[in-house]
Amino acid sequence: ADFDAKKKRKVAEIYRALNSDPIDVATLRRMAISEGGLLTDEIRCKVWPKLLNVNTDDLPPLPASKELREDNKDYQQVLLDVRRSLRRFPPGMPDDQREGLQEELIDIILHVLKCNPQLHYYQGYHDIVVTFLLVVGDRLAMALVEKLSTHHLRDFMDPTMDNTKHILNYLMPIIDQVNPEVHDFMQSAEVGTIFALSWLITWFGHVLSDFRHVVRLYDFFLACHPLMPIYFAAVIVLHREQEVLDCECDMASVHHLLSQIPQDLPYESLISKAGDLFVQFPPSELAKQAAQAAQAERTAASTFKDFELASVQQRPDTVLRQRFRERLRGEERTKSILTKPRTNRFVKLAVMGLTVALGAAALAVVKSALEWAPKFELQIFP
């Protein structure tokens, strides 16, 4: 009964935020993140567009499917993926209803790609689109998915996987901050981060079998920074600490363990933990470890300023952040002390080796490289 009362209060608060003028988006974000998320699909139809800043008053009509499919370079691949997506539809749904939805799904995807030629289809995209289709219906799904594809999902829709890999690179630094033992074990096993690829690019839609869990996560991700799914991925790995450490320390075993996602995860506590970690270790602080700043600049995440989780959750643990900063500074210092002399010695040894092997001509080339070296702190022989 207490739970029902809490639910009623939450529903009332959501409708208050929707009806206020202007709409209280900060409260809607908080509701989407906090326990239970947005509660019902009826509420999601009203709130999801607000979280994505999509105007629902004048939704464009659905395009004619025949025109979309003719001469479309992605049509065959989309068709294959959608045909394979049977298990993404509620069990017990009549065949003809499901087939109708699959046709709508193909059209939504082709429409978004046609209107945004800079976006490239990837396998797994349909897992995200079908979630929207099932919750909000075709016309609204088309508008929401288009907005999402040019914002949160933008990096997955590049012609190459570079930015997606870059985002995956955040996974290990987050794990390292919270649990260095798990981090080191995974490094020793050389497992990499590919096990989390399908989680990330489908927002877990592909790997979770219970639709309620999927839409609960979508509430959370839509209200948050585009990198939140990678924090959530880290939290799942950390939650399985014991299983990971009990595993054989080799790539195949650890990869197999991690890619099988447990279906009975404690979603609410993991969501709040992911939010806390985001506040404690924001992407800007992890970027140094994740990759060079230049690459980070190009990802959608770095242009996404509208993030209110920090003000919503409890204050970040300042002590932790300070300690983290001091540790980084310490590491930088030790690094510069260690690398300077060592680099020079290695370069000298390597130059000697080269001279013997390649004769004097090579020496001139290496020498000119060495003259550049101090400017770029170039390590020719890392």
Side-chain angles (χ1 to χ4, degrees), residues 16 22 41 95 146 214-215 232-233 276 279 289 308 316 338 370:
R16 251 201 317 280
D41 285 355
D95 285 353
E146 181 160 10
V214 177
V215 291
F232 193 77
D276 291 347
V279 173
Q289 291 154 278
E308 284 152 352
L338 283 175
L370 286 181

Side-chain angles (χ1 to χ4, degrees), residues 14 48 57 62 64 82 93 155 175 182 185 220 230 281 350 353 360:
I14 291 171
W48 280 5
D57 294 337
L62 287 168
V82 169
M93 177 182 272
D155 293 320
I175 293 170
V182 169
F185 180 89
F220 177 45
I230 203 73
F281 312 111

